[in-house]
């Protein structure tokens, strides 16, 4: 199983400003300290080994879109959410379909807020008459939401102009579904208009959990046993960690999102192996996210009681093999 992150921001897509890029370049030049590089390979080796990620790269700006690639080469595409990262995924999907990948897409929707569906009007395979798209959701109004965002007042291309065969499937929490190479389960979460987390188990027993847009309050962790059970023994948990703990318990309480600290506590209780910090606050800079990642690693070390939990910070383009 391979998990690819095409969009990792929450609420709003953001882009690097010219000033931000300039600041990164200045820091890199200072770090180079007058060195010259014979070619691109030497320069890239310096970037990879001597610069921190906040200087050498970016956590990205596209909103939620995560691909879960099964081990089987002939399997359909499996995608969680349709944020703005879906556009880039669609471009790559065309490349793979040209090489023989099946033109079948299974989407699993956490919920229907705009940042999680805004990429669909720009999803190239939706215009391909040879493609088949199945949209799974715990929400019976998923089709209504997708059609509404392509009404003329909002978008120039109507939903009915899409040429792919598009189907909608409403799933129920607590019911295991056999879909392609996975057993898929969903769990209702704490968020406006309700969100759903998904647990994907492949034939080899590997487990990936996609759980975004859910608020877990640190003072009510004794009521989160169902969440820990849903995360149990997962090889990877992609978890909403939009805010720092300070933000989540002060000015952004009841906004429907969680913190890095709560996610680590839940994953420790669940004996999960890896956690990907996800759904990043759009006002947080790369430096902010890198600092939060380092603090999360330290907190995990201090609170660990048994096996270690690897803490990743998701970024657009990250791939995690399970």
């Amino acid at each position: 199983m391979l998990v690819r992150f095409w969009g990792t921001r929450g609420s709003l897509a953001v882009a690097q400003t010219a000033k931000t890029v300039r600041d990164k370049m200045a820091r890199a030049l200072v770090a180079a300290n007058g060195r010259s590089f014979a070619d691109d390979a030497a320069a890239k080796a310096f970037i990879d080994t001597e610069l921190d990620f906040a200087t050498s790269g970016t956590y990205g700006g596209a909103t939620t879109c995560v691909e879960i690639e099964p081990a089987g080469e002939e399997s359909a595409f499996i995608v969680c959410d349709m944020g703005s990262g879906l556009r880039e995924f669609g471009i790559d999907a065309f490349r793979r379909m040209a090489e023989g990948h099946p033109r079948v897409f299974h989407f699993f929707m956490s919920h229907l807020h705009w940042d999680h569906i805004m990429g669909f009007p720009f999803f190239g395979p939706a215009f391909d008459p040879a493609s088949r798209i199945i949209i799974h959701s715990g929400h019976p109004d998923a089709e209504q939401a997708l059609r509404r965002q392509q009404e003329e007042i909002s978008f120039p291309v109507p939903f009915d102009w899409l040429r792919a065969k598009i189907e909608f499937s409403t799933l129920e929490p607590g019911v295991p579904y056999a879909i392609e190479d996975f057993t898929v389960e969903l769990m209702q979460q704490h968020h406006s208009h309700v969100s759903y987390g998904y647990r994907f188990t492949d034939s080899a027993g590997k487990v990936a959990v996609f759980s975004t847009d859910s608020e877990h309050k640190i003072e009510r962790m004794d009521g989160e046993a169902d969440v820990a059970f849903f995360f149990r023994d997962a090889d990877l948990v992609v978890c909403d960690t939009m805010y720092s703990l300070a933000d989540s318990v002060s000015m952004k309480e009841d906004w429907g999102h969680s913190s890095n600290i709560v996610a680590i506590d839940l994953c420790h209780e669940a004996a999960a192996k890896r956690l990907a910090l996800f759904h990043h606050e759009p006002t947080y800079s790369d430096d902010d996210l890198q600092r939060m990642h380092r603090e999360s690693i330290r907190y995990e070390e201090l609170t660990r009681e048994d096996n270690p939990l690897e803490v990743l910070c998701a970024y657009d383009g990250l791939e995690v093999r399970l």
Side-chain angles (χ1 to χ4, degrees):
M1 189 191 306
L2 181 66
V3 179
R4 291 190 180 93
F5 293 84
W6 295 98
T8 59
R9 286 280 172 175
S11 298
L12 181 70
V14 294
Q16 296 286 304
T17 64
K19 180 183 182 303
T20 300
V21 174
R22 182 172 177 269
D23 289 345
K24 288 174 182 281
M25 292 177 66
R27 284 160 59 174
L29 289 170
V30 170
N33 195 27
R35 277 177 283 184
S36 61
F37 305 100
D39 51 31
D40 285 356
K44 289 176 181 176
F46 163 74
I47 290 169
D48 293 341
T49 59
E50 299 193 40
L51 297 181
D52 60 24
F53 186 76
T55 302
S56 66
T58 178
Y59 290 95
T63 62
T64 304
C65 183
V66 176
E67 178 188 3
I68 301 178
E69 182 179 287
E73 294 182 359
E74 298 302 316
S75 298
F77 292 103
I78 306 294
V79 184
C80 296
D81 282 355
M82 301 174 169
S84 63
L86 184 63
R87 175 187 172 275
E88 196 70 24
F89 164 72
I91 294 170
D92 192 69
F94 272 130
R95 175 189 62 80
R96 284 185 268 170
M97 290 189 296
E99 297 171 353
H101 194 290
R103 294 173 179 262
V104 179
F105 299 83
H106 288 274
F107 284 97
F108 295 87
M109 305 302 301
S110 66
H111 64 310
L112 307 171
H113 286 166
W114 186 47
D115 54 317
H116 293 258
I117 65 173
M118 66 192 302
F120 192 62
F122 303 93
F123 181 52
F127 295 85
D128 173 21
S131 291
R132 180 186 176 206
I133 297 172
I134 305 97
I135 299 168
H136 305 276
S137 177
H139 299 85
D141 52 355
E143 181 173 2
Q144 177 187 349
L146 291 178
R147 285 184 173 276
R148 185 174 54 201
Q149 78 167 341
Q150 289 188 235
E151 291 177 357
E152 186 177 5
I153 195 171
S154 301
F155 197 75
V157 181
F159 186 91
D160 287 333
W161 284 15
L162 304 178
R163 291 295 172 257
K165 182 181 179 183
I166 301 174
E167 308 164 32
F168 290 86
S169 168
T170 303
L171 307 181
E172 296 181 14
V175 178
Y177 295 89
I179 299 174
E180 296 294 330
D181 295 337
F182 292 106
T183 298
V184 182
E185 302 167 78
L186 66 161
M187 174 187 66
Q188 185 171 317
Q189 302 180 138
H190 306 291
H191 196 71
S192 173
H193 196 60
V194 183
S195 69
Y196 293 90
Y198 291 88
R199 180 182 173 95
F200 299 88
T201 306
D202 69 11
S203 57
K206 294 291 185 181
V207 175
V209 173
F210 176 76
S211 174
T212 191
D213 291 66
S214 183
E215 184 165 8
H216 308 290
K217 296 187 177 184
I218 196 164
E219 72 274 14
R220 299 180 188 171
M221 293 301 287
D222 56 347
E224 299 285 355
D226 58 336
V227 179
F229 180 76
F230 195 73
F231 289 4
R232 70 193 182 281
D233 301 318
D235 295 279
L236 175 67
V237 176
V238 180
C239 194
D240 183 324
T241 57
M242 189 167 183
Y243 306 132
S244 67
L245 180 62
D247 281 351
S248 69
V249 300
S250 57
M251 57 185 174
K252 294 179 179 178
E253 187 176 9
D254 296 322
W255 284 26
H257 300 283
S258 292
S259 73
N260 54 331
I261 300 304
V262 166
I264 291 168
D265 289 347
L266 286 169
C267 285
H268 272 163
E269 185 177 349
K273 299 175 181 66
R274 283 177 179 163
L275 164 67
L277 309 179
F278 187 72
H279 202 267
H280 307 312
E281 160 65 41
T283 64
Y284 287 180
S285 67
D286 287 326
D287 286 328
D288 294 331
L289 291 171
Q290 181 170 263
R291 187 180 310 110
M292 186 172 171
H293 185 202
R294 289 172 175 169
E295 291 170 353
S296 299
I297 291 171
R298 182 59 178 152
Y299 177 78
E300 189 282 326
E301 292 172 345
L302 291 171
T303 58
R304 182 191 307 160
E305 294 183 358
D306 199 351
N307 295 323
L309 169 70
E310 181 181 358
V311 181
L312 311 172
C313 193
Y315 59 85
D316 298 2
L318 174 65
E319 294 186 353
V320 180
R321 187 171 293 279
L322 307 183

